[in-house]
Amino acid sequence: NAGVMQNPRHLVRRRGQEARLRCSPMKGHSHVYWYRQLPEEGLKFMVYLQKENIIDESGMPKERFSAEFPKEGPSILRIQQVVRGDSAAYFCASSAENTIYFGEGSWLTVV
Amino acid sequence: GNSVTQMEGPVTLSEEAFLTINCTYTATGYPSLFWYVQYPGEGLQLLLKATKADDKGSNKGFEATYRKETTSFHLEKGSVQVSDSAVYFCALSDGAAGNKLTFGGGTRVLVKP
């Protein structure tokens, strides 16, 4: 049973470009979470999705960030017009019952 | 709101030393508590968990007991190895929004041979 799969693992973008991060949950999991880890900090919740629905986006920045989890395919976290402050590790997690499993993360560097 | 506070690092130890990382929490209701470990350049791995008061989670020689009276979930290991060098995160989930986790700031542990 494959774990939570994220890609790309590393992404470099110039300021103003768009970044798209993908996450495939564990087989059988229908709940996806995105977290952001700034350098030398803990993880901060961004958004919680189920298939085709955003359940909780209380941690998402109001502008430039969006997330989706379509009926088919991976969940996508999209960051438009990236700025240097977006440089971070972005972790996806999925869950069934009451345990969350994390992917290995996508490290975004904005230059 | 929910919050998790854990001791700041880095914590530097010699091999075979005893490790304790303090974690306290604030939450409504009865949260589930977790410890995650992050090795350099990697994602988070679930180390152990406890879902109700007085439960003890254990894994790979690590233990933590859910103490409701002191709202704590301290992580302990009796004899650390160099391979335990990592960042450890305490977290809670109150179940109100799926399994949304609130994390502490992380504690970096460095074990020297």
Side-chain angles (χ1 to χ4, degrees):
Chain A
N1 186 15
V4 178
M5 305 300 292
Q6 290 188 246
N7 70 82
R9 290 293 312 278
H10 298 277
L11 182 65
V12 179
R13 285 288 177 265
R14 296 186 184 279
R15 282 176 292 171
Q17 291 184 318
E18 178 180 286
R20 283 188 181 228
L21 310 176
R22 296 174 186 76
C23 170
S24 296
M26 288 181 72
K27 188 175 181 180
H29 288 190
S30 59
H31 300 228
V32 166
Y33 308 78
W34 285 94
Y35 290 80
R36 178 165 64 175
Q37 183 180 32
L38 295 171
E40 302 301 320
E41 293 187 14
L43 277 76
K44 304 293 185 189
F45 168 80
M46 298 181 76
V47 62
Y48 163 37
L49 309 106
Q50 295 179 15
K51 286 283 187 181
E52 299 184 280
N53 283 306
I54 296 174
I55 307 302
D56 181 349
E57 57 181 348
S58 57
M60 287 282 270
K62 296 290 183 246
E63 297 178 346
R64 303 187 296 108
F65 285 72
S66 62
E68 63 176 7
F69 188 17
K71 187 176 180 181
E72 302 290 338
S75 175
I76 295 176
L77 179 68
R78 181 182 178 204
I79 311 172
Q80 295 178 288
Q81 298 176 319
V82 296
V83 301
R84 286 223 171 108
D86 297 332
S87 296
Y90 292 83
F91 289 96
C92 173
S94 70
S95 73
E97 298 182 358
N98 68 346
T99 301
I100 297 181
Y101 297 90
F102 282 83
E104 293 193 336
S106 292
W107 270 258
L108 171 65
T109 301
V110 180
V111 297
Chain B
N2 297 335
S3 67
V4 176
T5 302
Q6 58 182 109
M7 60 190 289
E8 290 190 19
V11 174
T12 303
L13 302 166
S14 297
E15 220 169 7
E16 298 184 4
F18 185 87
L19 171 68
T20 299
I21 304 176
N22 290 339
C23 171
T24 57
Y25 67 89
T26 302
T28 54
Y30 302 96
S32 295
L33 301 174
F34 305 84
W35 277 100
Y36 283 85
V37 58
Q38 184 180 30
Y39 298 102
E42 298 185 11
L44 273 73
Q45 299 176 26
L46 177 63
L47 183 59
L48 52 83
K49 68 177 184 179
T51 58
K52 62 182 187 297
D54 299 326
D55 269 2
K56 177 186 282 189
S58 61
N59 185 25
K60 298 180 181 179
F62 290 89
E63 292 184 340
T65 301
Y66 189 143
R67 301 285 187 199
K68 186 172 182 294
E69 63 277 12
T70 55
T71 61
S72 64
F73 193 53
H74 304 322
L75 182 69
E76 297 181 336
K77 185 173 184 181
S79 177
V80 293
Q81 305 300 313
V82 173
S83 58
D84 294 324
S85 297
V87 180
Y88 293 81
F89 292 96
C90 185
L92 71 82
S93 169
D94 66 7
N99 291 301
K100 173 177 158 183
L101 288 167
T102 300
F103 283 89
T107 302
R108 184 177 300 276
V109 172
L110 177 60
V111 180
K112 296 186 174 180

